[in-house]
Amino acid sequence: MMLPDLRVCPCLEEGGVPRWAAESSRPRIRGSVRLAGVGLLITLLCALSYCAQAPGLSMAEGDTLVSVDYEIFGKVQGVFFRKYTQAEGKKLGLVGWVQNTNRGTVQGQLQGPISKVRFMQEWLETRGSPKSHIDRANFNNEKVISNLDYSDFQIVK
């Protein structure tokens, strides 16, 4: 059985230039690269504006911002509940805070787009940290806001 000569690639023109590059004109390649760069820049800017909302700025039209207070009851202290809550909130792009109470509960406030806040409420009610056991979650003082009051999601001591 004969193996092909791997030193010679049928897609290369003489001199080692790819056939498609030899056949196309330079301005078209430059234009395509420039256009791809612009597309990449637009994608990056959209992703950044979606993930990181500066305090004092409002969301784009159609993304209603809400604020809601919460208190979680059950085995939620001593099980890294605040750390997991902060991580989940940041992952969703939410801002706010979380803290332990002297009643053995965890309380805090969430702010962000309503769809993300709803997802976080579900997470607080049903998941929490791996070793937690959630009996119930209370959500109150929900309101539509025009600006975010926080720049990050903090654990309050």
Side-chain angles (χ1 to χ4, degrees):
M1 175 172 146
M2 291 224 12
L3 295 175
D5 186 354
L6 297 177
R7 291 173 292 161
V8 178
C9 179
C11 65
L12 295 180
E13 291 287 327
E14 229 175 280
V17 178
R19 187 172 292 132
W20 61 267
E23 294 168 357
S24 63
S25 65
R26 285 185 183 261
R28 202 165 92 196
I29 291 174
R30 264 192 231 124
S32 297
V33 170
R34 188 175 302 124
L35 191 57
V38 169
L40 184 60
L41 180 60
I42 290 170
T43 303
L44 177 62
L45 291 174
C46 288
L48 287 174
S49 69
Y50 182 75
C51 294
Q53 183 68 41
L57 294 180
S58 62
M59 297 296 288
E61 242 180 85
D63 283 333
T64 303
L65 287 177
V66 295
S67 176
V68 64
D69 298 336
Y70 61 90
E71 186 168 12
I72 314 301
F73 298 81
K75 183 182 175 190
V76 292
Q77 290 191 7
V79 291
F80 298 98
F81 195 92
R82 291 175 302 159
K83 184 176 177 89
Y84 276 84
T85 299
Q86 179 190 43
E88 187 68 17
K90 284 184 173 191
K91 185 172 88 174
L92 291 170
L94 298 174
V95 297
W97 54 273
V98 60
Q99 72 178 12
N100 285 338
T101 70
N102 57 8
R103 298 178 306 282
T105 65
V106 169
Q107 69 180 7
Q109 188 177 70
L110 304 170
Q111 290 186 349
I114 193 166
S115 61
K116 304 287 184 166
V117 168
R118 293 288 180 259
F119 188 89
M120 185 68 178
Q121 287 176 302
E122 174 73 16
W123 185 91
L124 286 166
E125 243 178 333
T126 61
R127 294 204 41 208
S129 67
K131 294 189 181 212
S132 67
H133 177 79
I134 300 161
D135 291 334
R136 77 178 193 277
N138 289 350
F139 299 99
N140 54 51
N141 298 327
E142 182 170 324
K143 59 188 171 197
V144 173
I145 57 175
S146 57
N147 300 307
L148 298 173
D149 296 326
Y150 308 99
S151 60
D152 202 358
F153 202 103
Q154 296 292 320
I155 295 175
V156 178
K157 303 277 180 179

